[in-house]
Amino acid sequence: MIISKNTFQPGHILTTDICIIGGGPAAISLALSLSSSKQNIIVVTGGGWSETAANQDLNRGVVATVGTHEPLEENRRRQFGGASSVWGGRCIPFDPIDFRRRNWVPNSGWPISYDTLLPYYHKAAALCQIGDFAFNAHTVFPAKKREIISRLDTEEIVSYPLERWSPPVNFAKTYQSELEASQTVHVLLDAHVVSLQTLDALDRVSQAQLLMNDQELFIKAGRFVLATGGIENPRLLLASTNERFPTGLGNHHDNVGRYYMAHLNGTYVEVNPAKRAEMLVDFERDGEGVYCRRRWWISEKAQTEHELLNCIFFLYHSYSQDGHRDILFSSRYIAKSLLFLFRQRSVQDLREKTRELLPSLREHCSNVLKNGLAQLPELAAIAIKRLQKRRLPFILPSKTTAYWGLYFQAEQEPNRESRVYLSDSKLDAFGVPRAEVSISFSEADLNSIITAHTLFVNNFRRKKLGEVIYSEDGLRQYLTNQLSTFNSAAHHIGTTRMADDPTTGVVDRNAKVHGLENLYVAGSSVFPTGGHANPTLTIVAHALLLADHLKSTY
């Protein structure tokens, strides 16, 4: 059942077996799995079917050093469906090495293994609608060529790993009918939890205090699951205190909000492959029509020998001036810019952003008008694919473009000084301290990316596979510039990390908060390391693992 209007009296107390706080993929996956049990579930979403200006404002926060992180409301959605209402759909599992203790990666190692999560990855693939859990191109496409660029693969750099793309699934809308029909799951829309209270015992959450249509309500539950994302999870824990946890629930050892990670990404290297007709760079569709794409991965062997963090590459748009001569790039830039302007919430914001974008928009529009006629059929075909239910994920460069960019996405080392904490001066509309972010990177983060690029480029040049534009010093400067204007792309990881030892983590291997009997956390905030992979598929898999644990301990 989905409850969109508040029919409760102020101060009303609802009771349930499990209260799930959150409305994104983690919360909805938990609710769907738990709906088959005999337990009653209440899901508190923190928003409605679409995001309002007031709800977006609740996500505003503080960036400790201006410019070093995007505004906290930029990549988050306070609505039912959460980030799945706007995500692109890229699904990639973590690699087995991500779960292991690596002696060159401080604070690495999960208390659960890849094999523990593997059966839940298969179930997560179904929920994300990406077809089979099959990520090896050699088995999915056995009749096709085995490499992205012939002869480039080595023991250190391989191109058989696939990414698979969801339609993309909006979890709220896709699973609305199942939640509506459930006799055990009740979803409260536009309800906001402002604190977790421990009235009966200091080691047990008694109730959640929430506001729904400006009325105060309470939910008493046997167990609570916090699933509000990598920034809101620590924020709510830190804002909820008692005599035992005066600095926030689960924060005995000052771990809540620490080890905040995202993914470093960008495009610096430019590549002009010699034999373009033989390249496997386009999206491929498997037997179920799912879009897949290959990427280069730095193998476990190379990661170990060179002491690297996990990293992948794929060919993408070059962001040099040549990008302005790529019709597909220009078309994509124009479309995304207009959509961005459409989403501005005030006339003043619209004017400011238009002034900022106008020079580039003029150049790209001129490019399309002067050079786009010959590519109109290709543009039309792409537009049709982008409008389908299972849409083309994104537009790749034209085959005739001068250079392709080598896009990278890399793991960030767990860093205790990288953190989310409470602002000491800013409050939201409900009087809750806003989140403040201070993200920190290490030399190892940059050095690992540079070494990975050097391995790729040296191999490319040694085999004389075409032209490549690259310098280590140039890449280091590029990365330094990237960090001064960092954007997390909504990959908020590690702020309530999982560890068997309460001195080094916030939750245990079952995702239960250390020192509390009935409070659990779901989502990427529990990940001890971030790998290179977009987190959604692993978020869903872990939520399903947690759901089974909650069923087995009922």
Side-chain angles (χ1 to χ4, degrees):
M1 180 184 298
I2 297 177
I3 302 171
S4 58
K5 293 183 179 180
N6 183 9
T7 58
F8 308 108
Q9 294 298 313
H12 184 82
I13 299 175
L14 295 85
T15 60
T16 189
D17 295 309
I18 297 177
C19 174
I20 301 171
I21 303 164
I28 294 172
S29 300
L30 268 166
L32 291 171
S33 182
L34 289 169
S35 66
S36 62
S37 71
K38 297 179 180 179
Q39 301 175 83
N40 290 311
I41 317 297
I42 292 179
V43 180
V44 187
T45 63
W49 287 107
S50 60
E51 187 179 51
T52 64
N55 284 347
Q56 184 192 44
D57 183 75
L58 295 172
N59 278 342
R60 278 200 306 113
V62 180
V63 177
T65 302
V66 177
T68 58
H69 193 285
E70 79 275 11
L72 301 193
E73 73 276 16
E74 180 175 311
N75 288 323
R76 300 189 292 152
R77 290 295 180 273
R78 193 93 167 203
Q79 68 181 87
F80 191 31
S84 75
S85 62
V86 292
W87 73 315
R90 179 186 275 121
C91 289
I92 312 169
F94 277 37
D95 300 310
I97 193 173
D98 294 326
F99 295 83
R100 299 185 196 129
R101 172 78 178 96
R102 291 166 281 169
N103 57 23
W104 66 95
V105 183
N107 305 301
S108 60
W110 294 42
I112 62 173
S113 68
Y114 174 84
D115 288 339
T116 299
L117 209 55
L118 183 56
Y120 298 96
Y121 268 134
H122 286 266
K123 297 176 182 179
L127 280 179
C128 292
Q129 297 184 8
I130 60 169
D132 293 335
F133 184 79
F135 290 86
N136 188 321
H138 296 169
T139 56
V140 177
F141 302 106
K144 293 191 175 182
K145 294 177 181 178
R146 297 179 68 82
E147 300 179 49
I148 296 174
I149 295 178
S150 180
R151 298 192 301 113
L152 182 58
D153 284 18
T154 66
E155 285 188 343
E156 294 186 324
I157 301 171
V158 296
S159 62
Y160 63 81
L162 287 175
E163 56 192 28
R164 302 177 71 88
W165 288 77
S166 174
V169 166
N170 179 322
F171 275 70
K173 293 181 179 179
T174 300
Y175 298 108
Q176 176 183 356
S177 59
E178 291 181 41
L179 294 170
E180 285 276 19
S182 175
Q183 299 299 307
T184 58
V185 176
H186 294 76
V187 179
L188 303 185
L189 296 184
D190 282 312
H192 307 270
V193 172
V194 295
S195 72
L196 298 172
Q197 301 175 346
T198 55
L199 304 179
D200 303 325
L202 296 180
D203 62 352
R204 184 176 184 82
V205 175
S206 305
Q207 63 185 25
Q209 176 193 15
L210 62 142
L211 296 171
M212 188 173 183
N213 300 128
D214 297 324
Q215 293 184 3
E216 183 181 56
L217 305 173
F218 298 91
I219 297 177
K220 288 186 175 291
R223 289 180 286 188
F224 293 82
V225 182
L226 192 54
T228 58
I231 292 176
E232 291 301 305
N233 279 349
R235 181 189 179 202
L236 189 53
L237 289 174
L238 291 170
S240 303
T241 61
N242 65 22
E243 295 175 15
R244 186 180 181 200
F245 297 102
T247 58
L249 296 182
N251 202 29
H252 255 151
H253 300 283
D254 189 25
N255 287 320
V256 174
R258 292 192 180 271
Y259 303 98
Y260 172 46
M261 296 170 284
H263 289 123
L264 289 151
N265 63 79
T267 308
Y268 171 73
V269 172
E270 293 186 295
V271 179
N272 180 9
K275 297 182 178 179
R276 296 189 173 212
E278 299 177 5
M279 295 193 307
L280 282 175
V281 295
D282 291 330
F283 286 100
E284 302 168 75
R285 301 190 78 171
D286 70 5
E288 299 176 79
V290 175
Y291 280 102
C292 303
R293 193 169 190 237
R294 307 179 192 222
R295 64 192 190 280
W296 286 287
W297 175 56
I298 307 298
S299 68
E300 286 193 12
K301 179 179 183 293
Q303 289 183 50
T304 303
E305 289 182 359
H306 297 281
E307 298 191 345
L308 300 178
L309 296 160
N310 212 338
C311 181
I312 58 99
F313 299 106
F314 58 77
L315 292 179
Y316 195 51
H317 296 277
S318 167
Y319 287 97
S320 71
Q321 290 186 351
D322 287 317
H324 295 283
R325 293 191 290 273
D326 182 341
I327 304 305
L328 299 182
F329 178 86
S330 289
S331 301
R332 175 176 175 270
Y333 182 92
I334 293 166
K336 292 190 74 172
S337 296
L338 292 177
L339 182 60
F340 174 74
L341 293 174
F342 178 76
R343 287 174 174 168
Q344 297 307 304
R345 296 184 179 275
S346 71
V347 173
Q348 183 179 351
D349 287 345
L350 178 60
R351 287 174 178 167
E352 289 178 359
K353 298 302 181 184
T354 301
R355 280 196 297 269
E356 291 175 13
L357 293 173
L358 197 55
S360 291
L361 272 172
R362 282 175 176 161
E363 188 168 355
H364 285 293
C365 287
S366 175
N367 185 32
V368 171
L369 291 173
K370 290 178 180 177
N371 306 310
L373 188 61
Q375 293 190 38
L376 279 177
E378 186 177 359
L379 288 170
I382 288 171
I384 292 170
K385 291 178 181 178
R386 288 287 290 170
L387 293 172
Q388 292 174 349
K389 180 180 178 181
R390 188 176 286 280
R391 71 187 189 198
L392 179 71
F394 54 80
I395 300 172
L396 292 167
S398 167
K399 291 291 180 63
T400 61
T401 193
Y403 290 93
W404 292 62
L406 186 67
Y407 179 93
F408 68 89
Q409 184 160 300
E411 178 179 15
Q412 180 186 352
E413 181 180 84
N415 181 348
R416 183 173 171 78
E417 298 310 310
S418 185
R419 59 187 299 216
V420 175
Y421 49 97
L422 298 181
S423 169
D424 59 8
S425 60
K426 304 292 185 182
L427 305 177
D428 69 14
F430 299 143
V432 179
R434 294 190 183 275
E436 186 161 342
V437 165
S438 177
I439 192 164
S440 297
F441 299 92
S442 68
E443 277 299 307
D445 295 327
L446 274 62
N447 290 337
S448 179
I449 292 171
I450 292 168
T451 300
H453 275 80
T454 300
L455 287 173
F456 183 97
V457 169
N458 287 349
N459 183 43
F460 190 92
R461 286 173 172 165
R462 185 172 59 251
K463 294 180 178 178
K464 299 180 179 179
L465 298 175
E467 180 188 4
V468 60
I469 301 174
Y470 169 69
S471 78
E472 289 190 15
D473 289 342
L475 176 57
R476 185 174 294 277
Q477 185 59 53
Y478 171 87
L479 293 172
T480 301
N481 294 340
Q482 287 283 90
L483 298 188
S484 68
T485 57
F486 182 74
N487 192 301
S488 70
H491 298 182
H492 308 135
I493 302 167
T495 51
T496 62
R497 69 194 323 259
M498 185 191 309
D500 284 332
D501 183 352
T503 66
T504 60
V506 177
V507 303
D508 65 16
R509 65 177 56 217
N510 295 315
K512 186 179 73 66
V513 175
H514 287 295
L516 290 162
E517 292 184 2
N518 67 334
L519 178 60
Y520 296 78
V521 181
S524 56
S525 69
V526 306
F527 298 174
T529 52
H532 67 72
N534 293 39
T536 301
L537 185 66
T538 304
I539 287 172
V540 174
H542 178 261
L544 297 176
L545 170 64
L546 173 56
D548 272 4
H549 173 73
L550 294 173
K551 292 177 196 175
S552 68
T553 54
Y554 177 51

